[in-house]
Amino acid sequence: MARTTLAEFAIEVGDAGTHNVQPLLHEIRHALAQLLEQGKETVIDLRSIPLAPGEEAAIEQALGEGEVRATLSALGPSDFRETSYPGVWVVTHYNRDDQIVGKFVEVTSAPALLRSQTEDIAAGLQRLEARLTQDGGGRVV
Amino acid sequence: MKNDQTLGEILRQQGISRRGFLKFCVATASLLALPPGMVPAIAAALEKARRPSVIWLSFQECTGCTESLTRSDAASIEDLIFNTISLDYHHTLQAASGTGAEDARESAMKENWGKYVLVVDGSIPTGNPGYSTIAGISNVEMLMEAAAGAAAIVAVGSCASFGGIPHASPNPTGAVSVTDLISDKPIVNVPGCPPIPVVIAGVLTHFLTFGIPELDELHRPLAFYGKSIHDRCYRRPFYDKGLFAESFDDEGAKKGWCLYKLGCKGPTTYNACATTKWNQGTSFPIQSGHPCLGCSQPDFWDAGGFYHALSIPTEDTARTVLYGAATGVAAGLALGGLNRARKAHAARKHEKVTINDLEKGG
Amino acid sequence: MTETEFLLWVRGPAFQIATAIFVVGIIVRILEILILGRKPNLAEARGSAVAGGFRTIITRTWPDSGTFKRSGFTLIAGYVFHTGLFVTILLFAPHILVIDEVLGIGWPALPTPVVDATAVITIIALVVVLLHRIKDPVLRFLSRFQDYFVWFLTILPVITGYVAFHRIGLPPPTLIAIHILSVELLMIAFPFTKLAHAFTLFISRWYNGAIAGYRGVNS
């Protein structure tokens, strides 16, 4: 007996979608212009917008791949990717189980989390000083 | 871990960098459906937040809500339990059992009287107290006692929020919701069967950072329950065009058309499924081809069949039409007969007026 | 009462009550008319009463040129809103589902945007006929409270339906509940007001035609 497989039941997205891809790209264009003219940064939470299956991928595809790709490792990995439009970054945060906890489009010259944080710098300085003191007078290891 | 330390202090002690903390705040903003611009405010609030004692009571429930929460992705359950809240009693998750467990509940209540957060899942039977007990204490008694010392109550799931399945007709246990029993405490309802995991976590986090979230008239946080499924559904354009799946395996179903005719309750259901989605943002029922059951609405179990369109009456109208027609025919025949009799009577009594009558009268 | 309780009430008990009153009321009124009958005509028949009756049912659907000249406006506006009501009530997918559920018969629906546009046209036509009724001295003189009341009951479901579909103003469950309630009010008033013409119309046309047919004249 012929059985219908799951693949035959694959639900198409159809051509309708949510019509949210184009407006989002326009929003990014506006944000980019603002960044250039006023230095104002924008963050768009991709999870706050209703998107049909495949539309998130469509946005990422439209934005393309740029020059920079960076990985952060704090409470799980985070992926920072500059798109083919300099100043537009796609940022994906994962938790320790590699599950996505947030996906954002950041319009900025560099995502804030990539910069070393003042508190961390201070803590790092303390550690370095402590180590140098421990090692006793500037002996380079 | 002491409860008087702030969250910022605890995280630093655990060697979590500022970057890590900010990332946590970014995820929290997304979780709370707040604009990313709120991250600094969240960071400041979380930095100063103190871990609240949380007492979790489970009554007439299926543990689906706890199952859901333990799959919360934004803050993994370990993070949530050990960093953000101090879960002092949860009889499914805690290692202790029996007297030890109940002692933990009582001492947590005594130590944090007036300050702890009470989480309730499951409805409360008001019929025979023996319908549902924990350590020999009836659900009503345990709830009222714990509620008296709570700073706020979070009713997790449709059962605790609205009575849920135990409350469904004919409601044999006399099940009621938390809001049916308590009115003098701030109560946040987080309905859903189960609620979206990140929504449960989000409400607890919101309490920690900014206190009680903004609620609607059913005590639901507007951030998650402010919009209906229908209004945020990616299949909405098909509804607007009138393109419906007629069955679960027709062309329309395969093309991802609107599921209204298959009983979708999306137009009258408030929840965040269409945007937050489930399983790490993978999908939600409608995206998988199944109509929304409306599980986060009051009385969803009695709101007509799951696979009956929203426009269809909830009761058996065909029977009413049949009985109505029979009654109508009987009444019509009786009235018709009566009318005919009156007409015949009037005709019999009718006397022709003669010229003499007129002269007499004049 | 919360919005959900309100919605469940109008979809449940209220719909049952309205349906019962509607069905009983219509059948009683029709039977009353039919059973009362007419006086036997003792004159010799010059034509067929039955043929005349059926002919008139059909011919009266189109106005003769004289009537059209005298009150063309009333006719056009009347046709527009009656056709509009037919389309919005009987050719909208969610409505067909109700009929299918209750009577077990269904038919294909029109595309939703067509029904949507028809609803707007229907509302405009209904407003226009009301203005005409108020403006025209003869019509105004002939109008009683009931005429305005049934107009209100008729336009209400169209407006509430339009608003509920477009989800304007109030929470959607409340809008849907108000729409269903407005229909229930219409159903309850239907048998006992001039609205009953939807059913009695063909009976009276048949009688008119039958009387003329018996006398051997065209009506």
Side-chain angles (χ1 to χ4, degrees):
Chain A
M1 198 174 79
R3 282 185 171 227
T4 314
T5 64
L6 264 184
E8 286 173 68
F9 265 98
I11 297 165
E12 297 164 28
V13 181
D15 50 359
T18 59
H19 304 288
N20 275 342
V21 175
Q22 280 308 104
L24 195 77
L25 292 176
H26 278 286
E27 195 181 334
I28 293 170
R29 181 180 62 80
H30 267 283
L32 207 50
Q34 270 194 329
L35 179 69
L36 197 61
E37 288 154 20
Q38 306 155 27
K40 190 170 174 278
E41 298 178 344
T42 311
V43 182
I44 300 165
D45 187 345
L46 282 178
R47 278 219 183 157
S48 65
I49 306 155
L51 290 173
E55 285 188 332
E56 196 175 283
I59 292 165
E60 286 189 59
Q61 204 179 2
L63 291 174
E65 193 81 34
E67 292 171 340
V68 185
R69 184 155 200 169
T71 313
L72 168 76
S73 186
L75 285 173
S78 294
D79 181 49
F80 297 82
R81 205 155 44 74
E82 195 180 32
T83 67
S84 66
Y85 305 99
V88 181
W89 297 72
V90 173
V91 180
T92 316
H93 295 298
Y94 301 85
N95 67 8
R96 284 175 182 141
D97 302 328
D98 278 340
Q99 295 166 335
I100 295 177
V101 294
K103 197 162 198 170
F104 303 86
V105 172
E106 291 197 26
V107 181
T108 171
S109 53
L113 277 184
L114 276 185
R115 298 198 193 96
S116 297
Q117 306 293 314
T118 316
E119 290 86 343
D120 294 342
I121 297 171
L125 179 64
Q126 261 183 10
R127 266 190 296 125
L128 188 59
E129 281 172 352
R131 174 180 176 168
L132 289 175
T133 323
Q134 204 180 6
D135 287 348
R139 187 162 51 87
V140 178
V141 182
Chain B
M1 215 182 291
K2 282 190 236 123
N3 282 351
D4 53 359
Q5 278 181 309
T6 66
L7 187 65
E9 286 165 355
I10 293 165
L11 290 176
R12 270 194 298 280
Q13 271 176 13
Q14 292 182 349
I16 289 165
S17 67
R18 181 73 185 172
R19 270 209 196 93
F21 177 66
L22 285 177
K23 178 176 158 179
F24 180 64
C25 295
V26 167
T28 303
S30 181
L31 181 69
L32 298 179
L34 291 172
M38 286 291 285
V39 169
I42 293 167
L46 278 177
E47 179 76 43
K48 283 184 297 201
R50 282 170 208 283
R51 298 186 331 140
S53 166
V54 172
I55 293 172
W56 185 304
L57 298 179
S58 302
F59 299 136
Q60 293 192 127
E61 48 87 44
C62 67
T63 316
C65 295
T66 300
E67 285 285 337
S68 179
L69 176 67
T70 55
R71 277 146 189 77
S72 165
D73 55 330
S76 64
I77 183 66
E78 296 86 351
D79 288 346
L80 193 78
I81 292 177
F82 298 117
N83 292 337
T84 6
I85 62 170
S86 166
L87 190 57
D88 292 327
Y89 177 83
H90 186 308
H91 70 203
T92 311
L93 293 180
Q94 71 194 141
S97 64
T99 320
E102 298 314 308
D103 287 348
R105 177 175 57 80
E106 276 163 22
S107 67
M109 275 167 55
K110 204 183 286 175
E111 277 167 33
N112 303 289
W113 190 257
K115 286 183 292 187
Y116 58 83
V117 176
L118 179 64
V119 179
V120 179
D121 69 333
S123 65
I124 305 101
T126 54
N128 187 327
Y131 282 145
S132 176
T133 63
I134 297 159
I137 305 167
S138 79
N139 288 172
V140 181
E141 198 185 325
M142 188 177 277
L143 173 67
M144 298 318 265
E145 195 193 327
I153 303 172
V154 181
V156 168
S158 291
C159 296
S161 300
F162 306 127
I165 294 169
H167 179 264
S169 177
N171 191 1
T173 63
V176 295
S177 68
V178 175
T179 42
D180 286 333
L181 292 172
I182 296 159
S183 53
D184 58 347
K185 293 278 172 183
I187 298 173
V188 182
N189 281 337
V190 187
C193 194
I196 303 174
V198 297
V199 171
I200 309 176
V203 170
L204 291 176
T205 315
H206 195 287
F207 182 77
L208 198 68
T209 46
F210 305 115
I212 303 283
E214 204 184 336
L215 306 174
D216 69 5
E217 58 169 4
L218 292 176
H219 299 270
R220 297 177 293 197
L222 281 169
F224 305 109
Y225 298 91
K227 290 247 163 60
S228 73
I229 300 289
H230 186 68
D231 286 333
R232 313 220 80 181
C233 180
Y234 79 94
R235 294 195 186 198
R236 176 71 182 271
F238 293 115
Y239 173 86
D240 291 338
K241 281 186 199 156
L243 296 173
F244 301 104
E246 305 280 341
S247 72
F248 283 100
D249 55 356
D250 70 351
E251 275 312 294
K254 285 181 188 170
K255 284 182 175 155
W257 287 355
C258 177
L259 301 167
Y260 181 91
K261 286 189 173 181
L262 294 174
C264 186
K265 305 295 183 289
T268 55
T269 303
Y270 292 85
N271 210 331
C273 301
T275 41
T276 303
K277 303 191 178 175
W278 291 75
N279 301 324
Q280 293 85 53
T282 305
S283 179
F284 70 114
I286 293 169
Q287 189 170 331
S288 319
H290 193 283
C292 166
L293 301 180
C295 77
S296 57
Q297 288 300 114
D299 296 326
F300 83 100
W301 204 260
D302 294 318
F306 285 163
Y307 302 101
H308 272 179
L310 197 56
S311 60
I312 292 174
T314 54
E315 291 171 24
D316 190 351
T317 315
R319 199 185 53 200
T320 310
V321 169
L322 201 68
Y323 289 175
T327 315
V329 169
L333 287 175
L335 281 172
L338 215 65
N339 290 341
R340 274 186 87 100
R342 276 209 341 243
K343 190 173 148 191
H345 182 70
R348 268 199 311 279
K349 288 193 79 176
H350 182 77
E351 286 172 23
K352 287 208 167 74
V353 179
T354 62
I355 193 80
N356 297 334
D357 295 332
L358 290 174
E359 277 172 357
K360 259 191 276 175
Chain C
M1 192 188 260
T2 65
E3 61 188 36
T4 308
E5 285 165 350
F6 180 33
L7 181 63
L8 287 182
W9 182 74
V10 296
R11 288 179 65 205
F15 196 81
Q16 297 290 308
I17 296 166
T19 307
I21 295 175
F22 177 76
V23 171
V24 173
I26 287 294
I27 291 178
V28 165
R29 296 220 52 187
I30 291 173
L31 281 180
E32 273 193 308
I33 294 167
L34 294 180
I35 290 170
L36 207 52
R38 304 190 69 80
K39 260 191 180 162
N41 193 336
L42 301 175
E44 193 184 332
R46 287 187 172 169
S48 164
V50 175
F54 281 117
R55 192 175 57 240
T56 306
I57 286 180
I58 294 157
T59 56
R60 287 278 167 94
T61 306
W62 294 110
D64 64 283
S65 56
T67 318
F68 197 83
K69 265 185 207 140
R70 270 198 315 280
S71 42
F73 174 83
T74 312
L75 279 167
I76 290 172
Y79 270 92
V80 169
F81 89 75
H82 276 95
T83 313
L85 288 175
F86 178 81
V87 169
T88 48
I89 295 170
L90 296 178
L91 298 177
F92 182 47
H95 298 168
I96 298 170
L97 291 175
V98 180
I99 296 165
D100 195 6
E101 172 72 14
V102 177
L103 301 177
I105 42 169
W107 48 82
L110 275 181
T112 311
V114 176
V115 181
D116 190 29
T118 311
V120 176
I121 295 167
T122 310
I123 293 169
I124 294 170
L126 278 166
V127 169
V128 164
V129 294
L130 178 75
L131 291 177
H132 182 60
R133 185 185 278 278
I134 295 168
K135 245 180 67 187
D136 188 293
V138 179
L139 277 176
R140 192 172 60 223
F141 176 75
L142 290 171
S143 298
R144 295 281 174 272
F145 168 76
Q146 201 201 94
D147 295 286
Y148 297 106
F149 181 61
V150 298
W151 176 88
F152 177 72
L153 287 181
T154 308
I155 198 168
L156 203 59
V158 192
I159 293 175
T160 57
Y162 182 83
V163 172
F165 176 76
H166 291 279
R167 304 161 83 80
I168 305 163
L170 295 168
T174 310
L175 290 176
I176 295 170
I178 291 174
H179 172 59
I180 298 173
L181 184 66
S182 70
V183 175
E184 286 162 357
L185 290 178
L186 183 72
M187 285 166 75
I188 290 169
F190 214 97
F192 313 109
T193 55
K194 291 182 178 180
L195 291 169
H197 75 271
F199 293 92
T200 55
L201 156 87
F202 296 102
I203 303 175
S204 61
R205 270 194 199 164
W206 193 88
Y207 276 138
N208 274 336
I211 294 163
Y214 194 85
R215 291 173 183 161
V217 288
N218 277 338
S219 97

